[in-house]
Amino acid sequence: MHTSESSRASEGKGVGLGLALVSALAFGGSGVAAKPLIEAGLDPLHVVWLRVAGAALVMLPLAVRHRALVRSRPALLAGFGLLGVAGVQAFYFASISRIPVGVALLVEYLAPALVLGWVRFVQRRPVTRAAALGVVLAVGGLACVVEVWSGLSFDALGLLLALGAACCQVGYFVLSDQGSDSGEVPDPLGVIAYGLLVGTAVLTVVARPWTMDFSVLAQRADMNGTPVAAGLLLGWIVLIATVLAYVTGVVSVRRLSPAIAGVVACLEAVVATVLAWVLLGEHLSAPQIVGGAVVLLGAFIAQSSTPAKGSVEPVATGGAESRLSARENAA
C-alpha cells in the first residue's frame, strides 16, 4: 500500500511538473506574439486588455457554470483577478516605461524567493536548503538571461513598480493554493474564469480600450520580415498564452506547491528569449545561454528537493504531499 501511495504521489508530482512546464511555455510565447502587434501600432496596455478580455470571453461559460463561487469564495476570486491577472500585467507594463525590460523582468521574477519568504516567515513553515538554493540559482540564471548588467538605469519608482508585479505574482501562486488542504477545493477553472472577468474590469479602467485603433487587428503585423495576420497573433495570445497558460499553471500548483511552481514559472523568461531568437531574430549571447542552463538547474533542484510523503523533513511549502494524500483518502 505504501509503495502504491508513493507511486501515485510521484506520478502526481510528475504530472504537476509537466503542467507547470506547459504553463511556462505558453506564458513565454505571449511576448513574441504581442511585440509585432505593438510595433504595428497598438498600445501595450491595449494588447494586455485584448488578451485578458478575450480570455474572459472564452471562459465565460465556465464562469456561469461555477457561479456558486461568487458566494462561497468572493475574496479568492477578487484577489486572483486583482493580483494574478490585472496586477502583474499592469505593474509590469508600467515598470518597463521607466526602467529597462531586463531589470523589470528580473525584479518581477524575484517572486519565487518572495514565496519562500512568505512560507518561512508568515506561515512559519521550514523550507529545505535545496529549495532555497534552487531559487537562488533560478534568479541568478535570470540575471544572465536578461543580461541585467547591460543598460541599467535605476529609477526608484520603476523598481517599485516591478517589485509590485513580483508581489502580485506571489499572490497568484499563494491564492492558487488556497483551499487545497480543506475538504472544499474551489474549481480552478471557475477561479480562472472569474479572475479574468475581474481583471478585465480593472484593466478596462486602466487601458481605456475605447481609444484603441481596432483597424490594426484587420491588418498584418511584421514578425522579423514575415507578415502575419494580426488576428492570428491575437488568437495565440488569448487562447494559448492566457487561457491554456493560466489553466495549466493553476492546476500545476495543486499538484506541486506555490514555491516549486513559482520556480518552474521562471522558465517563462528562458522560453520567451529562445522564441524571440527563433521568431524575431533576437539572438542569444553566450551568457544568456549559460543563464538559461542555470535556470533549468535551479528549477530541477527545487522540484527534486520535496521529500517523500511521510517524511519529517521540511518541505518547500509543507502542502504538496498532504494534498496528494488527501485526494487519495477521498478516493
Side-chain angles (χ1 to χ4, degrees):
M1 178 65 72
H2 177 73
T3 302
S4 176
E5 290 180 354
S6 298
S7 176
R8 281 184 287 177
S10 177
E11 181 181 352
K13 286 175 58 180
V15 172
L17 179 59
L19 290 172
L21 290 173
V22 169
S23 180
L25 288 169
F27 273 126
S30 63
V32 175
K35 186 170 183 177
L37 292 177
I38 294 172
E39 292 178 342
L42 287 180
D43 185 272
L45 276 178
H46 289 161
V47 176
V48 173
W49 181 86
L50 286 169
R51 174 186 185 181
V52 177
L57 184 62
V58 172
M59 301 287 282
L60 186 58
L62 286 171
V64 175
R65 178 179 178 181
H66 297 286
R67 55 188 178 275
L69 286 174
V70 177
R71 296 189 301 272
S72 63
R73 305 303 291 270
L76 173 62
L77 301 183
F80 188 83
L82 290 170
L83 300 176
V85 178
V88 172
Q89 304 276 356
F91 275 113
Y92 175 69
F93 278 94
S95 70
I96 62 176
S97 69
R98 306 185 67 92
I99 62 177
V101 172
V103 178
L105 188 61
L106 178 60
V107 175
E108 179 183 342
Y109 277 91
L110 290 176
L114 296 177
V115 169
L116 285 178
W118 171 275
V119 170
R120 180 65 183 88
F121 299 109
V122 178
Q123 295 183 339
R124 297 185 181 278
R125 298 186 180 186
V127 298
T128 62
R129 292 181 179 179
L133 175 62
V135 171
V136 171
L137 287 175
V139 173
L142 277 171
C144 296
V145 169
V146 302
E147 293 189 329
V148 69
W149 54 84
S150 63
L152 285 176
S153 177
F154 289 109
D155 178 281
L157 179 57
L159 290 175
L160 286 174
L161 289 169
L163 185 59
C167 291
C168 288
Q169 196 167 4
V170 170
Y172 161 62
F173 287 115
V174 172
L175 284 171
S176 297
D177 197 45
Q178 289 299 304
S180 54
D181 289 322
S182 66
E184 297 181 2
V185 180
D187 190 292
L189 295 179
V191 174
I192 294 165
Y194 279 102
L196 289 169
L197 287 173
V198 173
T200 299
V202 174
L203 288 171
T204 297
V205 176
V206 176
R208 298 185 300 167
W210 51 87
T211 64
M212 187 190 319
D213 182 8
F214 284 94
S215 65
V216 174
L217 298 177
Q219 303 171 5
R220 290 184 175 270
D222 180 77
M223 181 176 282
N224 194 29
T226 302
V228 181
L232 180 62
L233 293 174
L234 179 59
W236 176 274
I237 293 173
V238 170
L239 298 177
I240 305 299
T242 307
V243 175
L244 179 64
Y246 273 113
V247 169
T248 53
V250 172
V251 175
S252 72
V253 172
R254 299 305 181 93
R255 293 180 176 269
L256 297 172
S257 70
I260 294 176
V263 173
V264 177
C266 287
L267 295 177
E268 176 190 341
V270 180
V271 171
T273 305
V274 172
L275 289 178
W277 184 10
V278 175
L279 299 177
L280 300 180
E282 299 178 354
H283 294 169
L284 289 169
S285 65
Q288 286 176 314
I289 295 174
V290 173
V294 173
V295 172
L296 288 170
L297 178 62
F300 173 78
I301 291 176
Q303 161 63 18
S304 60
S305 67
T306 304
K309 186 167 72 72
S311 170
V312 295
E313 298 177 34
V315 297
T317 64
E321 301 296 340
S322 62
R323 285 194 296 276
L324 288 171
S325 176
R327 273 195 289 269
E328 291 167 359
N329 294 335

